[in-house]
Structures are given as C-alpha cells and as structure tokens.
Amino acid sequence: MHDLLERAIEQATHRGAGYADARIVENQSESLLMRDGIMEVLDSAEDHGFGIRVLVDGSWGFASSHDLRPAEFERVTEQAIRIAKASALVPGGKVDLGSAVASRGSYVTPVRIDPFEVPLDQKIAVLAAADAGLSRAAGVRVREVNLVFIREKRWFANSDGARTEQTIIETGGGMVATAVGEGEVQTRSYPTSFGRQQLTAGWEAVEGWDLPGNAERIGNEAVALLSAERCPSGTTDLILSGDQVALQIHESCGHPIELDRVFGTEAAYAGTSFLTTEKLGTFRYGSEQVNITADSVRPSGLGTFGWDDEGVPAQSTPIVRNGLFIGYLMSRETATRIGLQTNGCMRASGWNRIPLIRMTNVSLEPGEWSLPDLIADTEDGIYMETNRSWSIDDRRYNFQFGTEVGYQIKDGKLGRLYRNPTYTGITPEFWNSCDAVCGLSDWRMWGTPNCGKGQPSQIAHTGHGAAPARFRRVRVGIHQ
Amino acid sequence: MIGEDQAKRLAEQALELCLPDRAEVALKANASQLTRFAENTVHQNVLESDARVNIRIFQGERVGSAMTNRLDPAGLAAAVQKARLYASQSAADPYLPALIRQTPPAALHSFDPETANHSPEARAEAVGELCRRAAGGGLRASGAFRVAAEEMAAANSEGTFSYHAGTTADFQTVVMADGSSGWAHAAHWKAGEISVPDLGQEAIRKAVDGRGARSFEPQTLTVVLDPYATADLVAMLNLVGMGAQSVIKGQSWMLDRVGKQAMSEAVSIWDDGRDPEGLPMVFDCEGVPKRHLDIVRNGVVRGPVFDGKTAKRLGAASTGHALSPFLPPLARGFGPLAMNLRMAAGDAATEELIASTEKGLYITRFHYTRTVHPRDCVVTGMTRDGVFLIERGRLAYPIKDLRFTQSYVGALNTVERIGSETRLLSDDFIGMSVRAPAIKIKEFRFTGATA
C-alpha cells in the first residue's frame, strides 16, 4: 500500500506541491440490532479508498476515490493539485506546517479477544439474553439491544518521509428500554445513552458490560419513570453521573479547545469558541478541582491510536490544571500559528475526508471522593444520570442538557425519582462551581461515537474519562 | 458517473450471485466537491468519488445484508457471501416485507451537466468575490459551496429496476462583524440558480444591522422566523416523529394527533420526491416510488411516512421512505424519514409579518436544536446570526442570542401568518431537503440568555 502512496506523493511534489500526504483506509464493520426479540439488523460493511492532500503555493487541495488502481491514483493526484491551485485564487495567509513530521512504525489496538473472531451465534446469544432480561420488566414497550464491531486499517505517508500503518479495533454495545404511558414516553439506557458504549477494545468489553445482568434493572427504571414526579424547577446542587460528566466535557471543553474553531475555520457550521488565544495560560476555566487532559494513549479510549492523520505520534496534553486553562487540541498548521508544536489531534473520519482537529480522549482527571460519600455530603440537591438531550451555543458557552433519570438528594440521601430532568448554565461558571470529583474507583472511559463536525460532515469517535462530580447552585428543571 | 446501463449491469451481476436466494440491491454512485472558506480565504477544498452497493439476501423470513464499495466481481461475491451468512444465522422476522413488484417510477429530469462539471476555479471565483466584499467592509466571511452528482439504483430478484441521476448545489455563508453575524443559505439542483452575490449581500446586511446587540430578558413572545428558522421546525418534526418507527416506539408527536387539528389552519406540510422545486429523488432504496404525501394539511395531522417494514407492522402501505442504507449508522437509526419536505407558502412578504407585530423578535435561524421531550416535540436551541427586537411593527435594535425551550407542535399551532416566498435548504448529513417560508408565530418561549 505504501508504494501507491509514495508514487502519489512523488507525483504531487513533482507537480509543484510543497507538501503532500496520502492515506489508504480500509474499514470493516459488523452491526447487530435486536428489537423486541427480532433480529432487525445483521449486516456488514466494507469500505476502502484513498485520499491525497496537497499544499500548493500555500493553499490546500484534497481529492479522494474508492478506486485503488494505480491509474486512479494518478488522476486523483492531478485533481488535488488543480483544486489547491484554485484555492490559491482566494489568497489568505500561506499555510506553515512547522517542523517536519517523519514518523515510522506500526500500531494495532491491543485486544484480548478479536471481536471478528467471535462466532455470530455467540453475539446473537448475548443480544437474546439481554432482550430476555428487558422483557422481564413489566411495562416496557420497546426493547433494543445492539452490538457494533469495527476494524479500520490505515496506511499513511507524507512528503516529510512519514510512513505509518495502524489497525484500530472498536467494540460497541448497549441497550435501551422504552416505556410508554398516557402522553408520556421514557427511556433508560445501559451502559450509556444513544444506543451504546464504545471503546477501542475487543469482545472482552462486551463481557465486561454484562448487558444481560443489567437488563431487567434498566427496564424497571424506564417503567418507574412514567409515574415519577417531574423534575422541579429552581437552583440547587447537582451531582452528575460519570457518563453525563463525559458528555459535559465533550460539549463544553472538548469542542471549545479545538484550535481551528478558535481561528474561525468552523464558523459557518459548528461555530467558534469562547476560549480565544489570549486566554491560554491566564483564564480560570474551572475550580481548583478541575483537571482536564487530552490524550491519545489511554487504554480503550476512542481517541487512542498510534499516530494522528498527519503522522504525529500519540501523546498526552494537559488542558486544564487546577482550573487554569493551559492547552488546546492542535494540528501542525494551527499550532505553528501560536508558536507551539502540534499535539497530534488531526483525524479524518475516512479515506474521503480531510483530517480536522478532533477530540482524542478529553478526560476529567479523578478526584478523591466516592459517589456514596459525595451524596452523603450533599444536603439538598439532585443526582442526574445518562444524557438524553444536549444543546450548546456556537461559542460553546451557553448550554442546556437533559438526562434520562434524576433523583432528589435530601439530607445526604437519594430520595424521590424525577422524570425529564434538565439543567442549564454558562460553561466557565458551571465548571467553576465544581467542588468535588469522584476518584478512580468511579472513573470510567466513556465513548462518544457520534461527534459531528466539518463540511462535508464527518462523524468522529472520541473518548472521555470521567467520574461523577458535584456542581453547586445550578439552574435545573427547564420545561416548556 | 457510471450511467444507467452500468448501474443495471452491476445490479444484475449482484442479483445473479445471490441466486437461488431472493435479494434486493441498492446502488449509489456520487462525485461531490466542496469549497470551504473562512476568514475571507479558502481553507478547505475537497473532492470525493465513490460508488457502492448494498445487498440484502432473504431466506424465508430471515434477512442479512452487506455493503461494499469494491465493485469488482470478487468484491461483490464477498459481499453476497457475507449477506448470505447473516441471513442463514438470523432469526425469523415476521414484519419482513415482501420484495416489491412494481413498475419503476416515471423518470424526472433533475440532472444538470453544468452542476456536475462545476469547476473548483468557478467556485473560487464566486467565493473570492464575496470574501473581497466582506473584507472591504471590515467583515469576515465563511461558508461552503458544494456541488454533487449522484446516481441511485434499486433492483430486486422480482425483476424491478429503478434508476435516477440528479445533481445538487448548495451554498451557505456566515458573515461576521465584531459582535454580530449574518447568514444566508440556498440549495438547488442547478448551481446556476444559486446567486452567490445575492446570498452574500443578505448575510452582509444582517451582520452590519446586527452590530451593537443589546441584552434581552428571556420571555414568551411573538416571533417572525426567516425560512432558515422555519426549516428547523419542519426538520425537527420530521426527525422526532414523522417516521412510522417513532410511532411504533411511542415517541412520535403524531401519537394521539392523527386526524386532529394540531396546528394552525394555515400550516400544511408535505413530502414530495417528485417536486421539481426540491431536490428530486423518485424512489426509495427498496424501489418504492415517491409521490406527494401530506403530513399536515391545513393544520390537521395526516400520518407518518413508512418503509416496507413499518408498513407491514402497522398494516399500511410503504410510502417510499425507506432510509438509505448508505447513510452513516447514526442516521440509519431513525427508520423511515421524509426526505423532500415542503411547507406551504402564505401571502405576506417578510416585511408585512414584521409590520403586523406590535412586539416580538425577528429571528434568522436556530442553532444546535435538540429534543427535550419527543411527545410534543419540545426542543431547546439557540438563536444565531441575527436576532432583532420588533416594536410597533418595526425592527428596533439587534439583541443578543437567546436560548429557547419550546414545543414545535405548539409553536405551529399559533401561526398567525405565513410568508409568500420559500427557500430550499439541504443538509449533507442525511440528505434531507426542506423548502420553507418565513412565518409569524404568536407565542414562543425563550428560557435563557447569554449575559
């Protein structure tokens, strides 16, 4: 594969490219969905192709094709050159990529059990067992259990001399119980919402989640929510579950630290960022308890890999330390603009997309509390678990999130069940109100396999390590 | 472009490999180009060429499917083998629909060679002119200009074969000043029908008029929505409940409303893949022809859209809305969706909607809208790219963006007037298009502000 890439890069540089990189990507996936005991989805997808990105006269061009024949590489490389020259017709500052990147090597996601080697009947048996558990919860209207397995091979080369090869393996799974009452519908999900939890891991992840063992419980919770009291409106102390903290990090920290957003290059679509460059090293993003790290090395994170799609090695970057904002997610081009080195966050969703700055694993570092102690320490508040809706403005400043379930906290104990819980806030005010983060025993790596960005749209898979955390004086219960 | 003959040959080849099993083949080929600009310069400029097939093999009531973009004989054979394996190991599905035996829909011309061959130089020229105008006014332009040619084919072992080729052009821009911004967006199947200078001027005017925005206390009040904001209402109603799967799951806003007056009499919404003023697509991936289908007629809810499976489960007929298997897995979870939506125009100019408002807000568009609760389609989101206070029938001054939490069904039940002009908008995630007018809504609830 590297021969094809090298020839394309040679052609591009011969035709005037000051820089070129090229990728071949082969993606294989398997999806299974059982709904109400019926095998609704049982399919596979195989997808391959290549893309070449060139820099001509300081402007970018990119072209891609699914056809891996040598003649198509030649044709597509010519197109990329032509497109870059067209970009140069609308002049801006010339792109400077900074230091050369010439990584070499190979990487494979470490897995204990290759999910593609697990027999299909064993996978279906897990779905059936979980479905049976859900069906034991009287009153559940719709039962859904799913598994997803992905293997993606990527070959990369650039004109700096980089040659890398990596295989990323992902395993996802989850279940949803939907209960329907008079004018009301409620869902409960496990391990987290939007269908599934997902990790760079093998079949061992499915075994660890124990979907069958949790099915009846979440079914019963969905039914109980139908008759639960509506989440009261007001201002109160809020404890978020680990998976909801993960979503909070993703939306209100992960996106605003993308340096391309800061520079306005996503303005027309996803938006910009309130974390402008003069805030780096000076802005109090959160309280002393808030420590956030971006890395691509932690085991099982969806942002874990060998190299990013510019060939930059996986690494770890402090983003927030004791509340102070000190780091961005960067590419070669954007890091150079602020006099830094890239920290390897350029990721493309496939062969047919350019790499963009994407989250790797953006995680809240664990604190020292346990969840029971944190609840016991809270006199009056609400505990919210598992995201149901999420909305945030184009600068990642004003947000409103909803969760599947809430519980009253009264005198240090969990009390009444609440349905339709929501909370809202302003990002730095919210993180500055954080006074406690739970420790390693409650800390998990969560996967977000549905992060949208870019035009044409790209769906990225990102990781977020998180534990439950407490936030003081938060506005809750925003209803229509 | 692979052409109809080649598409038919590929489909027949795949179906033959599936024998003796019954099978269904969907094929998609596309060539798309997108020029993206920001800060008054082109920063991303891309081209993609792809072709792929999805094969579904049926064994009794069991089905398995496989997709590939390896279209050589070995690639097709591998996909067929995988689909057959899955079908053999799957469980019986009592709601599996029969393969259709239908005459292909009549062809509808929506392929524009000039759009298919639109050059990166031509897009750079159009974008460059806007960037120069913005820079000249001390503004910053960003956006995207996309053109695409797409072919779809659907075939099955009952002998059905349908083919459609179409083009799409889409231009959108945000122009930013310090503390304000403006937006413009339009789509058409002919790039020549999109006026980049006019759209640029629209966004520039909003950005300039929006300077000096003031804070505003969130409250419930009248709003006049540009077509961009109206389109969000229609699109969210689609995603949250126009499909039969959401009805089956008990999550649709249509539940308990079918046949009833749930919206103002002036509100009519329909789906029509044969609308030449939309982005036509005349059949779905199961080969079922599309037609005009009322979703809401004069405020009365008519019912959801169906694919073969949901139709069989609910005792209805497919309306030709099976979701494309070529969409990202995330999108495929929606089940059947309307893809060519249109809301009926009224008789008023946008200026008249504003002039008839004693106090209210004039809103350009909504941002990051998400469902808070599906049964009434309660949605939260932010305003973006231009919000203006209306006082005594005139735009008084710009205000800072607000957060709302509002039932979209409830909002469309207090529509007072509708604009006479419509705008066609498309998204590149699931390929849905919406043609919508400006509307005036009596009551809309704002729940938060960014101080």
Side-chain angles (χ1 to χ4, degrees):
Chain A
M1 294 293 194
H2 276 130
D3 289 351
L4 289 165
L5 297 177
E6 284 168 10
R7 277 204 292 275
I9 287 167
E10 192 179 320
Q11 180 187 344
T13 50
H14 180 69
R15 295 280 288 111
Y19 170 83
D21 61 30
R23 287 173 291 121
I24 295 172
V25 180
E26 283 183 2
N27 184 294
Q28 175 190 3
S29 66
E30 183 178 63
S31 305
L32 302 89
L33 167 65
M34 182 173 282
R35 182 178 287 139
D36 297 333
I38 295 168
M39 206 65 222
E40 285 239 342
V41 175
L42 186 47
D43 68 21
S44 83
E46 290 192 359
D47 169 69
H48 71 186
F50 72 96
I52 178 158
R53 188 175 71 141
V54 301
L55 201 51
V56 179
D57 297 333
S59 294
W60 286 114
F62 174 83
S64 62
S65 172
H66 73 291
D67 184 346
L68 292 178
R69 287 175 293 189
E72 182 71 349
F73 272 80
E74 285 181 28
R75 189 184 73 81
V76 169
T77 302
E78 283 303 312
Q79 287 181 318
I81 294 285
R82 179 182 172 186
I83 290 168
K85 288 179 175 173
S87 299
L89 297 174
V90 189
K94 292 204 171 191
V95 172
D96 179 358
L97 294 176
S99 306
V101 172
S103 308
R104 300 254 169 166
S106 61
Y107 171 88
V108 179
T109 301
V111 298
R112 197 161 55 79
I113 305 168
D114 183 342
F116 290 91
E117 297 298 321
V118 174
L120 198 54
D121 56 1
Q122 190 176 339
K123 296 168 181 170
I124 293 172
V126 168
L127 299 181
D131 178 75
L134 290 168
S135 66
R136 283 195 291 275
V140 171
R141 163 96 161 249
V142 182
R143 314 182 303 274
E144 294 167 297
V145 195
N146 79 91
L147 295 171
V148 172
F149 309 101
I150 299 169
R151 174 160 49 213
E152 185 164 289
K153 297 186 76 168
R154 305 174 197 155
W155 292 264
F156 173 84
N158 70 12
S159 55
D160 293 342
R163 304 285 184 272
T164 63
E165 177 180 346
Q166 51 189 332
T167 301
I168 307 296
I169 298 168
E170 295 183 10
T171 291
M175 57 189 169
V176 184
T178 302
V180 181
E182 191 65 35
E184 183 60 276
V185 58
Q186 293 290 334
T187 58
R188 277 295 279 145
S189 309
Y190 176 86
T192 189
S193 49
F194 308 109
R196 62 187 188 270
Q197 160 74 316
Q198 195 154 313
L199 299 169
T200 50
W203 177 255
E204 65 276 7
V206 177
E207 294 176 340
W209 295 325
D210 186 17
L211 300 179
N214 286 279
E216 188 172 354
R217 174 180 64 80
I218 72 141
N220 285 331
E221 287 175 2
V223 175
L225 280 166
L226 289 176
S227 55
E229 188 178 322
R230 192 168 83 156
C231 177
S233 299
T235 300
T236 191
D237 293 342
L238 174 66
I239 297 177
L240 297 179
S241 63
D243 63 342
Q244 179 60 24
V245 169
L247 187 280
Q248 183 77 45
I249 297 166
H250 180 96
E251 299 293 354
S252 67
C253 181
H255 280 302
I257 61 172
E258 295 163 347
L259 194 50
D260 54 352
R261 289 182 70 118
V262 175
F263 286 141
T265 57
E266 292 291 326
Y269 187 63
T272 59
S273 170
F274 75 96
L275 285 172
T276 43
T277 52
E278 79 283 358
K279 294 189 173 76
L280 189 66
T282 62
F283 183 70
R284 182 142 292 283
Y285 175 86
S287 67
E288 285 283 329
Q289 282 67 38
V290 176
N291 291 285
I292 296 174
T293 305
D295 81 87
S296 40
V297 295
R298 284 193 216 237
S300 80
L302 286 183
T304 299
F305 47 68
W307 299 269
D308 78 350
D309 286 324
E310 288 191 318
V312 178
Q315 55 198 277
S316 181
T317 306
I319 301 297
V320 175
R321 281 293 173 269
N322 301 119
L324 191 67
F325 166 56
I326 58 168
Y328 283 114
L329 303 172
M330 297 179 287
S331 61
R332 293 179 65 179
E333 179 182 351
T334 55
T336 304
R337 283 181 66 176
I338 58 171
L340 296 176
Q341 293 286 318
T342 175
N343 53 358
C345 299
M346 286 289 268
R347 307 175 69 190
S349 64
W351 55 267
N352 54 354
R353 296 289 185 267
I354 54 168
L356 300 172
I357 294 178
R358 305 308 302 256
M359 284 173 242
T360 46
N361 306 307
V362 182
S363 305
L364 178 66
E365 297 297 341
E368 293 178 345
W369 289 79
S370 72
L371 182 57
D373 286 349
L374 192 54
I375 291 168
D377 186 64
T378 304
E379 195 173 319
D380 190 20
I382 297 181
Y383 170 73
M384 295 190 192
E385 184 175 295
T386 306
N387 186 260
R388 193 171 81 170
S389 82
W390 71 106
S391 172
I392 190 163
D393 72 6
D394 54 318
R395 292 192 309 140
R396 301 279 151 173
Y397 200 62
N398 177 324
F399 66 83
Q400 180 172 314
F401 299 139
T403 62
E404 290 184 348
V405 66
Y407 287 93
Q408 177 196 43
I409 303 174
K410 196 74 182 168
D411 299 327
K413 291 185 177 135
L414 289 183
R416 285 197 290 270
L417 180 68
Y418 290 141
R419 68 185 158 94
N420 305 335
T422 54
Y423 66 98
T424 188
I426 301 296
T427 295
E429 291 173 11
F430 184 77
W431 283 105
N432 272 285
S433 77
C434 178
D435 75 336
V437 179
C438 288
L440 261 180
S441 61
D442 290 305
W443 194 93
R444 303 275 184 282
M445 180 61 77
W446 298 96
T448 303
N450 60 343
C451 176
K453 184 177 177 181
Q455 294 172 294
S457 67
Q458 300 195 35
I459 303 299
H461 298 185
T462 69
H464 304 286
R470 182 171 63 191
F471 303 84
R472 298 288 195 182
R473 309 289 299 157
V474 178
R475 188 179 161 209
V476 302
I478 303 90
H479 303 292
Q480 206 270 330
Chain B
M1 294 292 290
I2 62 173
E4 183 169 0
D5 290 345
Q6 173 69 357
K8 193 167 189 179
R9 272 196 296 275
L10 277 167
E12 286 172 349
Q13 198 180 344
L15 288 169
E16 195 171 317
L17 287 166
C18 295
L19 290 171
D21 292 318
R22 292 174 300 121
E24 179 186 274
V25 173
L27 180 147
K28 176 188 173 185
N30 70 294
S32 60
Q33 304 181 57
L34 187 144
T35 299
R36 204 170 184 214
F37 56 106
E39 300 287 308
N40 297 333
T41 186
V42 170
H43 67 305
Q44 292 165 11
N45 210 345
V46 302
L47 177 150
E48 173 192 356
S49 173
D50 192 19
R52 53 189 59 208
V53 296
N54 189 70
I55 297 162
R56 293 210 297 168
I57 287 185
F58 299 80
Q59 294 180 345
E61 289 186 328
R62 295 171 301 166
V63 63
S65 64
M67 181 167 62
T68 184
N69 68 351
R70 279 181 60 198
L71 302 186
D72 56 85
L76 290 176
V80 166
Q81 189 180 5
K82 186 70 91 172
R84 181 171 284 133
L85 171 74
Y86 286 165
S88 69
Q89 297 208 20
S90 186
D93 180 351
Y95 303 119
L96 200 62
L99 291 174
I100 67 155
R101 297 177 188 177
Q102 238 164 327
T103 310
L108 181 72
H109 180 66
S110 66
F111 184 87
D112 176 41
E114 285 183 23
T115 303
N117 296 315
H118 204 268
S119 73
E121 292 82 7
R123 289 192 302 284
E125 187 180 340
V127 164
E129 176 56 28
L130 168 56
C131 290
R132 282 187 289 277
R133 265 201 295 163
L139 306 167
R140 305 183 307 280
S142 59
F145 193 169
R146 178 171 66 93
V147 292
E150 188 172 294
E151 298 167 275
M152 286 288 300
N156 67 31
S157 51
E158 298 295 329
T160 296
F161 177 80
S162 303
Y163 172 86
H164 179 79
T167 48
T168 303
D170 185 284
F171 180 84
Q172 51 190 264
T173 182
V174 168
V175 175
M176 293 189 289
D178 290 334
S180 66
S181 57
W183 164 261
H185 181 193
H188 201 281
W189 60 271
K190 284 183 174 176
E193 295 293 325
I194 292 178
S195 171
V196 173
D198 288 350
L199 291 166
Q201 187 54 39
E202 180 185 336
I204 286 172
R205 182 175 48 79
K206 278 267 178 71
V208 170
D209 292 348
R211 282 175 167 148
R214 304 182 198 175
S215 296
F216 187 77
E217 190 65 26
Q219 56 194 270
T220 298
L221 78 173
T222 299
V223 292
V224 173
L225 305 183
D226 262 347
Y228 312 122
T230 307
D232 188 79
L233 269 66
V234 177
M236 286 299 285
L237 285 167
N238 184 26
L239 297 174
V240 181
M242 284 187 195
Q245 184 168 293
S246 59
V247 173
I248 290 167
K249 291 174 76 171
Q251 295 177 327
S252 171
W253 56 269
M254 284 194 177
L255 285 161
D256 307 324
R257 290 189 171 98
V258 174
K260 295 179 182 170
Q261 187 88 36
M263 300 176 188
S264 302
E265 204 169 329
V267 175
S268 290
I269 300 168
W270 63 89
D271 187 77
D272 189 354
R274 301 191 66 85
D275 183 352
E277 292 187 348
L279 297 174
M281 177 60 218
V282 297
F283 56 89
D284 71 1
C285 61
E286 294 175 340
V288 178
K290 291 175 178 284
R291 56 186 170 81
H292 178 107
L293 184 75
D294 283 332
I295 308 291
V296 177
R297 172 58 63 183
N298 298 330
V300 177
V301 178
R302 301 296 285 267
V305 301
F306 294 91
D307 58 7
K309 188 178 176 93
T310 54
K312 185 168 183 182
R313 182 158 180 174
L314 293 180
S318 172
T319 53
H321 291 89
L323 208 52
S324 167
F326 305 112
L327 290 173
L330 182 69
R332 280 187 275 153
F334 285 113
L337 281 181
M339 299 299 282
N340 306 85
L341 283 159
R342 183 161 185 161
M343 182 171 175
D347 58 359
T350 304
E351 292 74 17
E352 292 177 74
L353 302 182
I354 294 168
S356 64
T357 303
E358 181 62 20
K359 184 182 180 186
L361 296 180
Y362 170 47
I363 292 166
T364 304
R365 69 165 173 147
F366 295 137
H367 173 76
Y368 218 122
T369 49
R370 292 291 184 273
T371 316
V372 175
H373 199 285
R375 283 296 286 266
D376 293 320
C377 195
V378 177
V379 171
T380 187
M382 296 291 297
T383 62
R384 187 175 168 184
D385 298 327
V387 189
F388 301 86
L389 179 69
I390 306 168
E391 285 183 330
R392 293 180 292 283
R394 303 182 66 169
L395 297 184
Y397 51 82
I399 67 163
K400 292 182 179 175
D401 284 318
L402 296 170
R403 173 169 294 287
F404 65 89
T405 307
Q406 169 67 47
S407 161
Y408 276 6
V409 179
L412 290 177
N413 200 25
T414 65
V415 170
E416 294 191 329
R417 286 191 81 179
I418 297 184
S420 54
E421 292 184 12
T422 57
R423 184 70 65 90
L424 179 66
L425 309 168
S426 70
D427 82 280
D428 80 334
F429 180 52
I430 61 172
M432 172 176 44
S433 68
V434 180
R435 181 174 277 282
I439 59 175
K440 179 181 172 184
I441 294 171
K442 186 179 178 187
E443 291 182 349
F444 205 86
R445 183 162 189 259
F446 294 91
T447 53
T450 306

